[in-house]
Amino acid sequence: MCGIFGYIGDKESIPFVIEGLKKLEYRGYDSAGIATLNKGNLFVSKCLGKIVSLEELLSQKPINGTIGIGHTRWATHGRPSHLNSHPHQDCQGKIVVVHNGIIENYLELRRELAEAGHKFTSATDTEVLAHLIEEHLDGNLLIAVRKALHKVRGSYALAVISEHDPEKIIVARHGSPLIIGFGEKECFISSDIPAMLKYTGKIIKLENGEIAEVGKNELKLFNLLGEKVERETELVSWDPESAEKGGYSHFMLKEIHEQPNALRKTIEGRVEAESNLIHFDELNLSDEEIRKINRVVFTACGTSWHAGLIGEYLFEQFAKLPAEVEYAAEFRYRHPIIDENTLVIAITQSGETADTLGAVWEAKAQNAKVISICNVMGSSIARESHGVVYTNAGPEIGVASTKAFTTQLTVIYLLAIIFGKRRGTISNSEATKLINELIEIPQKIEQTLYQEEEIKRIANKFHRATNALYLGRGKGFPIALEGALKLKEVSYIHAEGYPAAEMKHGPIALIDQNMPVVVLALAGRRYDKIMGNIEEVKARGGIVIAVACEGDQIIAEKADEVIFIPKTSESLSPILAAVPLQLLAYHIAVKRGCHVDQPRNLAKSVTVE
Ligand code: AGP
């Protein structure tokens, strides 16, 4: 995600834009920039780093103008750098664009524009838009933008200003949000409502496929066919604080609900089901190198380590590759037996976890091939790895990792398919089937989220527990661990995740009527065994909260509470099963009055050993 903010009126635009970008910094903060129009002349200021770096730059080299657009970046194409930061310009430097989204066909557009003589200065997909508008400019900026967008595939929220038309801002959206706010003889544009609430609550939200010409006291709205669109303004009554979270009470809850779109962004532009093609821009692993790999080691911490456990199952199952999972801190201080035929996969949301970074250095020292699965472009671990696959989940603000986890599982699933195809252990038709099953998952997460009120009722029933046990088998076991971690880190209830079969080797001594036992009773070849474990718990007076698959006719008779998830393959059920456990932990923590987004003693990124 990135943040866009703009102002057009009679006042100096810079203070409004900077203030707006600061409120949007949660959406991305690896680089930032501003462009203004002052007496018909364009001025641009941009830099690597947070908004505060941009402010310092502006204090040294100020720019002015009563029209301004700004951008705070969450890099998706092109590493964080000065050149890759927005705004981007055309060849003449008379058109500037800021953009949030992914232009999927930017490579082919870039090739065509270069052949037509356009010179590019960055590695971004966004710069293509500036040159495309330049290519189509014939006197009217709005028409040029509209024609350019007819060539574009992908998602965008964009703002354009130009010396060719110096009294307006052109905005357009498809897939990424853009809001227009109306003040007294001034207008605001923003990626979200909170950033402009201080100035106005009178807004319209651009719909997909709409484009608008924003003047200081007028708006002309069209669709991409050039037909005029009428839209009533709406009045937003949010208080600024709750609005930061898009109306959700906490970032954690917002990010749980963002998971369907987060997974869509993870998948977008990377898979073609029919041709079962999967393409990761920066994986940097040739087919030959993949075939030479004879062992995979996942290394990570916390939730990311749980993702590694699912990876172990999937790589063994799809690619028939020996795989193991190592806690990063343990891995780096052992003498791991790895070599140039070992692939080490570091999994990390932040890309800055010290132990995982240390594990990457150790792996490289032993000549292993290292790739990372990371959510922050240009982060230390991403830079240290030979190749990287970004989860594209957008910034995750809540300390408890949610959308990062499910997007990590999504990337791992696709990687395992790539390896299976390259090693000939899965056929093209199997790969197509697996990809099609994944493409259905975002919508199935949405279905799962509809159960939130039911999950909240269960949370209210068990929020006074002092202990909890989470049990699972097969791919349900890592989700049991993850569910237990979610509960303990946000609600401070002691919780353990355990392989269900291990219960009789010790934990069964814990069972009593005060300790809820959460069981992943997922469909699959271990179902009967897990039902046996539920019987064992019930026979000792225990309480069972089961996560089961829709259509399960037995579970309701066995468990005290049941949360159903939509049917899917055994390999994808972990993604769906994680969601109710995130919500259960969240609502228990809220009921207990815990500080959900910043739990005590925890940091979002553990950059110390
Ligand atoms: C998960 O909810 C925790 N916040 C924590 O375990 C986290 O997963 C761990 O610190 C690893 O962080 P990383 O993914 O940024 O490397």
Side-chain angles (χ1 to χ4, degrees):
M1 277 191 302
C2 302
I4 291 174
F5 196 90
Y7 171 86
I8 181 167
D10 295 325
K11 304 176 188 115
E12 184 43 56
S13 62
I14 294 287
F16 289 108
V17 178
I18 288 289
E19 183 70 24
L21 291 180
K22 282 180 175 176
K23 289 196 181 311
L24 294 168
E25 205 156 26
Y26 73 89
R27 300 173 65 87
Y29 37 73
D30 55 49
S31 52
I34 280 188
T36 59
L37 270 169
N38 188 5
K39 300 185 180 65
N41 298 310
L42 259 182
F43 298 89
V44 175
S45 180
K46 61 184 192 176
C47 64
L48 192 56
K50 292 178 180 279
I51 312 293
V52 67
S53 309
L54 181 60
E55 283 187 291
E56 282 159 23
L57 181 58
L58 288 165
S59 65
Q60 293 154 23
K61 298 177 187 166
I63 62 175
N64 311 96
T66 58
I67 301 175
I69 56 174
H71 184 274
T72 182
R73 188 170 184 235
W74 183 267
T76 53
H77 290 73
R79 293 182 183 287
S81 70
H82 172 268
L83 281 178
N84 287 338
S85 55
H86 300 210
H88 287 287
Q89 297 177 258
D90 66 326
C91 301
Q92 308 299 321
K94 294 186 180 304
I95 300 169
V96 291
V97 178
V98 291
H99 163 239
N100 173 27
I102 294 178
I103 307 299
E104 287 181 28
N105 60 332
Y106 83 98
L107 285 174
E108 65 187 83
L109 291 171
R110 186 182 173 115
R111 241 189 333 271
E112 287 168 18
L113 288 161
E115 282 161 12
H118 290 265
K119 300 283 180 262
F120 288 84
T121 58
S122 81
T124 66
D125 56 337
T126 301
E127 189 186 353
V128 162
L129 292 170
H131 294 281
L132 206 51
I133 295 165
E134 178 185 25
E135 186 67 19
H136 287 88
L137 191 67
D138 182 11
N140 181 309
L141 184 62
L142 175 89
I143 293 174
V145 175
R146 185 157 57 78
K147 286 181 177 174
L149 293 176
H150 285 157
K151 294 283 195 71
V152 161
R153 271 202 331 271
S155 59
Y156 54 80
L158 63 96
V160 185
I161 57 176
S162 170
E163 290 183 1
H164 298 294
D165 209 338
E167 296 305 324
K168 57 184 69 100
I169 302 174
I170 307 298
V171 293
R173 83 152 285 189
H174 182 80
S176 301
L178 203 64
I179 318 290
I180 302 170
F182 302 89
E184 282 307 308
K185 290 197 179 354
E186 59 189 11
C187 281
F188 303 85
I189 59 165
S190 174
S191 295
D192 74 12
I193 293 169
M196 64 168 70
L197 262 188
K198 179 177 174 182
Y199 312 116
T200 180
K202 187 180 172 190
I203 67 160
I204 66 159
K205 296 171 191 154
L206 275 191
E207 301 295 339
N208 280 343
E210 289 182 345
I211 183 169
E213 195 177 81
V214 184
K216 62 184 178 183
N217 49 16
E218 62 165 346
L219 174 81
K220 291 177 186 165
L221 185 59
F222 305 90
N223 62 24
L224 284 186
L225 298 174
E227 296 156 346
K228 212 153 168 35
V229 172
E230 296 304 326
R231 173 76 40 74
E232 287 299 311
T233 58
E234 55 182 285
L235 209 51
V236 176
S237 56
W238 284 352
D239 67 275
E241 167 63 21
S242 71
E244 290 282 306
K245 304 173 187 93
Y248 290 100
S249 311
H250 298 95
F251 278 111
M252 181 180 175
L253 186 60
K254 177 169 177 271
E255 287 148 12
I256 289 171
H257 283 268
E258 279 179 342
Q259 289 180 110
N261 282 336
L263 266 74
R264 290 185 181 105
K265 293 268 186 258
T266 305
I267 297 166
E268 191 173 74
R270 290 169 152 177
V271 302
E272 286 174 33
E274 290 328 305
S275 49
N276 63 78
L277 281 180
I278 301 169
H279 177 67
F280 290 128
D281 279 345
E282 300 184 67
L283 178 58
N284 195 18
L285 267 182
S286 68
D287 291 357
E288 190 46 42
E289 286 171 317
I290 287 177
R291 279 189 280 271
K292 272 177 56 183
I293 300 292
N294 61 15
R295 186 161 149 257
V296 177
V297 176
F298 292 94
T299 187
C301 302
T303 285
S304 299
W305 183 79
H306 298 150
L309 288 172
I310 298 288
E312 180 181 33
Y313 284 104
L314 292 176
F315 268 72
E316 288 176 345
Q317 183 180 341
F318 291 172
K320 303 290 182 276
L321 256 177
E324 60 197 87
V325 195
E326 298 280 357
Y327 281 114
E330 293 304 310
F331 176 78
R332 66 181 297 200
Y333 289 116
R334 276 200 353 247
H335 300 289
I337 310 302
I338 54 177
D339 59 25
E340 66 280 358
N341 296 321
T342 307
L343 174 66
V344 172
I345 301 180
I347 307 170
T348 172
Q349 188 285 131
S350 62
E352 300 299 343
T353 300
D355 287 328
T356 308
L357 182 58
V360 165
W361 285 332
E362 174 63 21
K364 288 172 73 176
Q366 309 252 8
N367 301 317
K369 196 77 178 164
V370 178
I371 64 170
S372 55
I373 297 172
C374 184
N375 195 41
V376 180
M377 192 164 222
S379 55
S380 305
I381 292 169
R383 287 199 309 271
E384 282 294 324
S385 305
H386 297 117
V388 58
V389 181
Y390 289 104
T391 42
N392 290 347
E396 188 175 69
I397 310 300
V399 164
S401 191
T402 50
K403 63 177 182 175
F405 177 65
T406 48
T407 53
Q408 286 168 353
L409 297 187
T410 303
V411 166
I412 290 167
Y413 180 87
L414 290 170
L415 275 175
I417 295 170
I418 289 176
F419 273 72
K421 280 181 62 183
R422 299 286 183 280
R423 292 168 48 84
T425 48
I426 54 173
S427 66
N428 286 341
S429 57
E430 283 166 332
T432 297
K433 179 173 178 296
L434 293 170
I435 292 171
N436 279 320
E437 286 170 342
L438 175 65
I439 289 169
E440 290 174 3
I441 290 298
Q443 191 267 329
K444 291 186 174 181
I445 294 178
E446 280 162 354
Q447 284 174 11
T448 307
L449 291 168
Y450 294 148
Q451 305 232 38
E452 182 166 6
E453 280 312 304
E454 177 59 11
I455 295 166
K456 187 173 176 181
R457 178 190 64 76
I458 296 171
N460 292 345
K461 194 171 161 187
F462 293 103
H463 76 281
R464 293 192 184 83
T466 51
N467 294 286
L469 186 60
Y470 286 67
L471 302 175
R473 284 178 180 255
K475 300 183 189 76
F477 164 48
I479 302 306
L481 293 173
E482 174 58 13
L485 175 59
K486 288 281 107 32
L487 184 69
K488 68 183 120 182
E489 69 174 324
V490 295
S491 76
Y492 316 146
I493 292 174
H494 175 252
E496 273 192 271
Y498 239 88
E502 279 294 301
M503 202 181 51
K504 53 189 174 296
H505 301 285
I508 200 164
L510 297 172
I511 302 299
D512 63 21
Q513 73 282 4
N514 302 315
M515 179 180 72
V517 180
V518 179
V519 183
L520 281 300
L522 305 176
R525 56 200 174 97
R526 299 174 177 86
Y527 178 79
D528 294 342
K529 294 279 187 287
I530 204 87
M531 295 309 281
N533 295 129
I534 291 176
E535 302 270 7
E536 289 162 10
V537 173
K538 293 302 294 170
R540 288 156 181 83
I543 312 151
V544 172
I545 303 169
V547 176
C549 298
E550 280 169 3
D552 183 329
Q553 305 292 327
I554 305 169
I555 192 71
E557 297 156 23
K558 307 279 184 187
D560 299 277
E561 297 287 354
V562 184
I563 305 165
F564 287 103
I565 60 173
K567 278 184 187 163
T568 185
S569 68
E570 196 181 328
S571 299
L572 288 168
S573 57
I575 298 179
L576 295 183
V579 176
L581 301 188
Q582 295 165 350
L583 286 170
L584 184 65
Y586 170 80
H587 284 293
I588 287 176
V590 168
K591 189 70 181 169
R592 291 167 66 94
C594 297
H595 197 314
V596 174
D597 283 334
Q598 284 100 27
R600 67 186 182 198
N601 312 333
L602 286 175
K604 183 58 188 169
S605 174
V606 182
T607 55
V608 293
E609 288 193 39

